[in-house]
Amino acid sequence: MPVYLTVQEEGKMSWMVSDAVNYKGFPADNSKTGGWITASLILGIEICERLSTMGIAVNLVTYLVGTMHVPSAESANIVTDFLGTSFMLCLLGGFLADSFLGRFRTIAIFAVIQALGTGLLSVSTKLPQFRPLPCNPASQSCQEASDTQMGVLYLCLYLIALGTGGLKSSVSGFGTDQFDDKDERERTQMTFFFNRFFFLVSVGTLLAVTVLVYLQDEVGRSWAYGICCLSMVVAIVMFLSGTKRYRYKKSSGSPIVHILQVIVASFRKRNLKYDNLSILYEDRPEATRIPHTQQYLFLDKAAIRVEGENMIIDGKMAWRLCSVSRVEEVKMMIWLLPVWATTILFWTIYAQMITFSVEQASTMERTIGTFQIPAGSLTVFFVGAILITLAVYDRIIMPLFRRWKGTEGFTNLQKIGIGLAMSIVGMIAAALTERKRLSVARNSGSVTTLPMSVFTLIPQFFLVGSGEAFIYTGQLDFFITRSPKGMKTLSTGLFLTTLSLGFFLSSFLVSVIKSVTGHNGEKSWLADNINEGRLDYFYGLLALLSTINLVVYLVCAIFTIKPQSQSRALTMNNGEKNSPDDKC
């Protein structure tokens, strides 16, 4: 348990806690470090990251199709692969933060990398040699971008992806480090951190899909991307200005290495048997031990003491003998996996909102008076739904739950379930809207803009956006509060890989649908000309898969609750507030 020190300074009482240090490495003074001021500086980095990443992603399809002359389905896959890689690299960022750099240095280094990638993208979109010639109106022929031109674009995009992945895994964890969960006042502030974190992330996204997309279409992409680069540089300077006020948590080593040590040690002792818990090794003080549980008993063999083993665990011995608490930490991470797996499909649906839905919008009537709404800016309804949902939840739902049940609203598992259900309804609405749009397209001939208002797409944006508000905050809360204290960065990275795998799954499904449909003279569901395909069938397929996934999730959620109730003492021993999510 962390040890508090009381210091009398100039007539004021200040508190210090041993598991947090200041920039000099001394115990952090609660009155001089941490809190909302430092958390705000950290959130500034996240807002600018969202501004850059989403400002590029939501309008990238129109650039790839209209300027680089890449086919529609391939363009969608480029976008989802870019986003998927961004979130997959969160695991790399988490590993580096836990093993070598710490969260502060990881955020600073990878924020610089992202700013560099955005700056290079600004330059590459400005220079004509990095894009093909415009289409010939007379022959209606378009020259697709060369390998060199696409190579430069990929270099810029994946530098941005590397920066995003590196810093994103540490931002939320470093933000929560600024609050002391032993102090009642700061613990209350931390309760609101996750919702406010996502709210500000959504503000960054809102600016991206409105102001930034408008600048891309009306002023120039290079100017818009240059603004992203400049904003990130400013955020980095502000982030570094808080160096002396941050609270830094001591790293206990890489959780990935700890997990591998338990697996290797249990495999080496796979033939050993035990019938008494007293022979299992434990090296932690009584107050910080994690109680033994009855799940995954084969891993317990990593803690069996055999004759001749050194009881002082050093680097080599850790691969042969692990403490019971270390084994239980691995068990806790395993129990996260069913929920992790069943939330991936939501992000596949999310991917459609920034790819095919934007392409749908580009074919529809988008004018208000003399002003034409950029197709990429239609995602403003998506972001608006997130902000409205978070505001309603924070101001209405949570107060009602306090009065009615004495809790702070829906549990994290309930939030995830609500998000999954809303995504299904959103895909059904998207399929119906697309069926109507295709009917209008068939009756309108070869017109450039269909006589159908783009605002008919609002229901699908609103439903999936509202679902994201629930599932994102639910996932973030679930993975951070239910993971061992020393593995929170890894669990955050694990959460973000659901986004990554959702985007990659979208690319996979698009490629499969593209290859298996459209034979015998029929057009593919995902034809290069969206008016000639059957995107409504694709949306219907996603709704069906999501319904099956929701049923599986509910089963997994029920089984996930059981070990949580068995290990209540774990969260108390970790010095954290016990999670209220003991029911689905």
Side-chain angles (χ1 to χ4, degrees):
M1 178 179 293
V3 178
Y4 285 88
L5 305 174
T6 306
V7 178
Q8 188 82 20
E9 182 179 340
E10 298 180 0
K12 295 182 179 180
M13 192 74 71
S14 62
W15 294 89
M16 296 184 181
V17 60
S18 62
D19 69 341
V21 298
N22 61 20
Y23 73 106
K24 291 183 177 180
F26 298 119
D29 186 334
N30 279 18
S31 65
K32 297 179 180 179
T33 61
W36 273 112
I37 293 178
T38 53
S40 299
L41 297 176
I42 298 166
L43 289 175
I45 287 277
E46 179 64 18
I47 291 173
C48 292
E49 179 274 317
R50 284 289 83 191
L51 182 68
S52 298
T53 304
M54 295 308 298
I56 293 166
V58 296
N59 211 26
L60 187 57
V61 166
T62 59
Y63 179 72
L64 291 167
V65 174
T67 302
M68 304 300 280
H69 308 148
V70 179
S72 173
E74 184 179 343
S75 297
N77 281 355
I78 290 173
V79 175
T80 51
D81 288 344
F82 161 63
L83 290 172
T85 303
S86 298
F87 291 109
M88 184 61 73
L89 287 170
C90 291
L91 288 177
L92 172 64
F95 173 75
L96 293 176
D98 288 330
S99 303
F100 306 105
L101 301 175
R103 290 169 181 166
F104 173 77
R105 291 190 184 90
T106 301
I107 293 172
I109 291 171
F110 285 96
V112 171
I113 292 174
Q114 199 204 47
L116 176 63
T118 311
L120 290 176
L121 185 62
S122 175
V123 174
S124 69
T125 53
K126 180 67 174 178
L127 300 177
Q129 55 264 44
F130 293 125
R131 58 180 183 269
L133 296 173
C135 296
N136 188 337
S139 62
Q140 294 185 344
S141 62
C142 299
Q143 178 187 355
E144 192 171 335
S146 67
D147 291 342
T148 300
Q149 291 167 337
M150 291 302 296
V152 172
L153 179 62
Y154 285 140
L155 173 64
C156 299
L157 290 177
Y158 285 97
L159 267 177
I160 295 168
L162 177 61
T164 298
L167 68 90
K168 202 166 184 65
S169 63
S170 295
V171 167
S172 59
F174 195 47
T176 57
D177 287 347
Q178 307 312 307
F179 301 98
D180 183 4
D181 53 15
K182 318 300 183 306
D183 182 274
E184 185 175 350
R185 181 179 61 85
E186 293 196 12
R187 186 168 62 241
T188 302
Q189 292 175 340
M190 189 189 297
T191 302
F192 293 96
F193 176 78
F194 295 117
N195 279 351
R196 292 177 182 176
F197 172 82
F198 189 51
F199 181 84
L200 291 174
V201 167
S202 299
V203 169
T205 305
L206 181 63
L207 292 173
V209 302
T210 52
V211 177
L212 209 63
V213 169
Y214 177 79
L215 290 174
Q216 290 174 29
D217 288 354
E218 302 299 327
V219 180
R221 288 181 183 269
S222 59
W223 283 99
Y225 298 151
I227 290 173
C228 290
C229 177
L230 181 61
S231 66
M232 180 57 82
V233 170
V234 172
I236 292 170
V237 172
M238 293 180 63
F239 175 73
L240 295 177
S241 70
T243 302
K244 294 182 179 181
R245 289 187 57 86
Y246 293 130
R247 294 175 188 169
Y248 306 87
K249 295 295 179 73
K250 299 175 182 178
S251 174
S252 57
S254 170
I256 295 178
V257 172
H258 294 162
I259 291 171
L260 291 176
Q261 287 172 342
V262 171
I263 294 173
V264 170
S266 61
F267 179 78
R268 282 177 166 173
K269 298 178 178 179
R270 61 191 180 277
N271 294 323
L272 298 181
K273 296 181 180 180
Y274 72 97
D275 53 10
N276 192 333
L277 294 180
S278 63
I279 71 169
L280 298 182
Y281 175 71
E282 181 59 86
D283 60 352
R284 296 189 184 182
E286 185 73 29
T288 60
R289 290 180 183 179
I290 301 176
H292 178 268
T293 60
Q294 295 300 314
Q295 289 82 31
Y296 309 113
L297 295 178
F298 62 92
L299 292 175
D300 289 344
K301 295 183 178 182
I304 297 177
R305 293 179 294 187
V306 297
E307 187 177 351
E309 283 185 337
N310 182 7
M311 291 298 102
I312 300 177
I313 301 296
D314 55 19
K316 293 182 179 180
M317 183 56 65
W319 296 91
R320 294 181 176 274
L321 179 64
C322 303
S323 67
V324 171
S325 293
R326 180 73 73 205
V327 172
E328 292 302 321
E329 288 177 343
V330 175
K331 291 181 183 181
M332 288 186 68
M333 295 301 293
I334 293 175
W335 273 106
L336 300 179
L337 295 181
V339 171
W340 170 82
T342 50
T343 53
I344 291 172
L345 196 56
F346 175 89
W347 300 105
T348 299
I349 290 176
Y350 171 92
Q352 313 318 310
M353 297 297 104
I354 58 175
T355 52
F356 288 119
S357 291
V358 173
E359 194 171 353
Q360 284 177 286
S362 67
T363 68
M364 303 169 75
E365 179 60 50
R366 293 179 279 121
T367 57
I368 300 177
T370 58
F371 176 72
Q372 185 178 56
I373 304 171
S377 289
L378 260 293
T379 48
V380 69
F381 297 108
F382 182 79
V383 182
I386 295 172
L387 296 175
I388 291 171
T389 302
L390 289 174
V392 170
Y393 186 82
D394 193 46
R395 297 300 178 184
I396 299 176
I397 296 178
M398 289 182 69
L400 286 176
F401 266 78
R402 287 193 202 103
R403 295 176 187 174
W404 178 35
K405 303 178 70 174
T407 63
E408 295 294 330
F410 295 114
T411 66
N412 46 43
L413 290 174
Q414 288 170 340
K415 285 182 179 180
I416 294 171
I418 292 170
L420 292 175
M422 295 190 76
S423 70
I424 296 171
V425 181
M427 276 296 97
I428 294 173
L432 294 175
T433 302
E434 175 62 9
R435 177 163 295 197
K436 181 179 179 181
R437 195 195 67 83
L438 289 174
S439 176
V440 172
R442 284 192 293 269
N443 296 328
S444 301
S446 57
V447 295
T448 305
T449 302
L450 301 178
M452 180 178 177
S453 174
V454 74
F455 295 115
T456 55
L457 297 176
I458 290 178
Q460 67 198 58
F461 281 113
F462 191 88
L463 286 165
V464 179
S466 185
E468 186 191 353
F470 280 106
I471 199 168
Y472 192 102
T473 54
Q475 280 185 286
L476 188 61
D477 186 10
F478 176 82
F479 281 95
I480 288 182
T481 59
R482 296 211 177 188
S483 62
K485 189 171 184 178
M487 297 189 179
K488 292 192 183 299
T489 302
L490 176 64
S491 65
T492 302
L494 190 65
F495 150 54
L496 293 172
T497 60
T498 64
L499 283 73
S500 172
L501 294 175
F503 292 128
F504 286 137
L505 179 59
S506 176
S507 298
F508 173 75
L509 288 174
V510 167
S511 298
V512 170
I513 295 298
K514 184 82 173 172
S515 63
V516 301
T517 60
H519 299 298
N520 301 322
E522 295 183 357
K523 288 286 185 179
S524 170
W525 288 6
L526 305 175
D528 292 337
N529 184 340
I530 193 174
N531 292 335
E532 298 175 356
R534 293 309 305 256
L535 185 59
D536 55 331
Y537 289 175
F538 181 58
Y539 285 161
L541 175 63
L542 288 176
L544 176 62
L545 293 175
S546 297
T547 302
I548 298 170
N549 179 73
L550 177 59
V551 174
V552 176
Y553 166 77
L554 293 174
V555 174
C556 292
I558 291 171
F559 282 97
T560 300
I561 295 162
K562 294 180 179 179
Q564 180 70 12
S565 60
Q566 292 175 0
S567 57
R568 279 177 183 264
L570 165 61
T571 53
M572 298 301 291
N573 286 339
N574 273 340
E576 301 171 8
K577 187 180 180 180
N578 201 27
S579 172
D581 301 317
D582 291 330
K583 63 177 184 297
C584 183

